[in-house]
Amino acid sequence: MAATRGTLTIGPVTAAPGSVASGALQVPARAGDAGTTIPITIIHGASPGPVLALVAGVHGMEYVPVIALQRLRAALDPATLRGTIVMVHVANMPSFLGRTIYYSPVDGQNLNRVFPGRPDGTLSERIADVLTREIIARATHVIDLHGGDGNESLRPYLYWITTGDPSVADASRGVALAFGLDHIVVDDERPTEAAASMYLSNTAITRGKPAITVETGCLARIDEASLALVARGVAGVLRHLDMRDEGPAPVADPIWLTRNVVIRAGGTGLFYPSVHCGDVVAEGAGLGRVTDFHGRVVEDIHAPLGGEVLYVVATPPVTKGEPLAMVAATGRTPDARPSRP
Ligand SMILES: [Zn+2]
């Protein structure tokens, strides 16, 4: 006799096997703020399998993943799905509705630096806490979908986190390849403590769940090519996890970006970039200039590493310490590294 598959309930949303249900998680008000909501969808497959969480909108002006998930919600068929997809349509509603890059308009925090969050903290910390307890805790695999924020000109790439449990890193590598983007940043600098995971995908990894962070879309624009990358990526992961029969094959020959540097502003003012995303630059090459508010050049920005420009800030405002660009390069292949204990 086949096992009976149960319903899945997350917050106020309950989905029966073979059905789709949507609703919103509540982040209650506390002294000083009004709380917020987190719209979610459960696509509960008719038969058992992995629970894949797809999270969009951690940053407020990264729209491609938000639109891509709306399309996927309409396109995915729970009758033929093995396992469950949990979508977070807009993780950071205050920043989305406030149209802010990086930081919440309510508390000034970057949601993707405050994980796993706190139930009695700032609004960003409470959003992180709800996402950790309600979404990541229930998932077996997590994809955090980002893109070029409102100020970032960005070429598509994803992060494969290698820190922590090697078996989790290995499984994350499979998800990364299945997503299909051919530029993969090998990230070996994330915290390994579950209580100080900082980032959403790292919150999953430090809890034993394979995860990746994906970057598609540029300067808050919504374009069909970027939307197609997300759709293709999710379809590839669904096939890889055996949640569907069909789907594109993993990327065959990715570029493993084993070295990267984020170049940050030394002062506050205006940034005039001299490169575009996707440009290949030599070590020491100029990336742009920072001026003060009167137009005097206060800083010439150079690439400390030769490589490809994955993103570059393409709108004028810059604040001391914030990123101006990210340059990444190939080095060792990850297959060649010694296995860690
Ligand atoms: Zn982001």
Side-chain angles (χ1 to χ4, degrees):
M1 206 175 89
T4 306
R5 179 154 162 79
T7 59
L8 176 62
T9 298
I10 301 179
V13 183
T14 295
S19 76
V20 178
S22 291
L25 304 177
Q26 301 299 315
V27 182
R30 281 181 63 85
D33 70 62
T36 191
T37 59
I38 305 173
I40 67 167
T41 291
I42 303 171
I43 302 176
H44 202 34
S47 50
V51 179
L52 174 63
L54 304 173
V55 182
V58 164
H59 290 132
M61 293 183 71
E62 299 175 1
Y63 301 130
V64 161
V66 175
I67 306 304
L69 288 195
Q70 290 202 344
R71 291 190 183 183
L72 280 167
R73 181 191 182 281
L76 290 166
D77 180 6
T80 58
L81 184 70
R82 292 182 289 272
T84 305
I85 296 169
V86 179
M87 295 180 173
V88 174
H89 293 281
V90 179
N92 193 346
M93 191 63 79
S95 194
F96 182 77
L97 292 179
R99 303 182 184 88
T100 57
I101 63 161
Y102 303 161
Y103 311 117
S104 169
V106 176
D107 53 40
Q109 288 181 303
N110 183 335
L111 176 57
N112 210 25
R113 300 293 183 275
V114 300
F115 279 87
R118 293 193 303 150
D120 58 351
T122 63
L123 184 54
S124 291
E125 289 168 339
R126 279 147 46 219
I127 292 171
D129 174 65
V130 168
L131 292 170
T132 300
R133 288 187 293 102
E134 300 282 8
I135 305 297
I136 295 171
R138 285 185 172 83
T140 59
H141 301 75
V142 174
I143 302 179
D144 189 17
L145 295 158
H146 289 248
D149 214 331
N151 60 330
E152 291 171 336
S153 178
L154 177 146
R155 64 108 53 241
Y157 67 97
L158 60 79
Y159 293 92
W160 170 43
I161 297 175
T162 62
T163 41
D165 183 338
S167 69
V168 176
D170 202 47
S172 298
R173 184 180 190 274
V175 174
L177 292 170
F179 200 91
L181 299 183
D182 69 354
H183 280 54
I184 299 178
V185 171
V186 180
D187 188 337
D188 55 9
E189 293 182 343
R190 303 274 162 143
T192 54
E193 292 296 319
S197 53
M198 280 180 76
Y199 307 89
L200 189 150
S201 59
N202 199 42
T203 303
I205 285 166
T206 54
R207 284 156 180 77
K209 299 149 192 275
I212 58 172
T213 302
V214 174
E215 302 276 355
T216 56
C218 177
L219 285 166
R221 292 183 200 132
I222 299 156
D223 62 290
E224 289 298 327
S226 299
L227 290 166
L229 291 177
V230 178
R232 181 252 176 268
V234 172
V237 172
L238 291 176
R239 175 185 158 182
H240 170 71
L241 297 177
D242 197 32
M243 296 173 72
R244 285 200 309 194
D245 293 331
E246 72 276 19
V251 61
D253 191 20
I255 298 166
W256 298 100
L257 298 162
T258 52
R259 295 176 294 155
N260 78 80
V261 58
V262 173
I263 298 101
R264 295 175 184 277
T268 294
L270 285 73
F271 182 48
Y272 289 81
S274 57
V275 294
H276 298 98
C277 66
D279 284 356
V280 174
V281 297
E283 183 180 340
L287 298 177
R289 295 170 151 189
V290 176
T291 74
D292 66 15
F293 294 102
H294 308 289
R296 288 182 289 258
V297 174
V298 293
E299 192 177 11
D300 270 307
I301 307 296
H302 298 278
L305 169 73
E308 184 166 348
V309 178
L310 297 186
Y311 68 78
V312 58
V313 165
T315 58
V318 292
T319 303
K320 182 178 180 179
E322 285 184 345
L324 297 174
M326 178 176 178
V327 176
T330 56
R332 306 158 291 162
T333 64
D335 292 323
R337 16 176 87 193
S339 59
R340 290 176 302 273

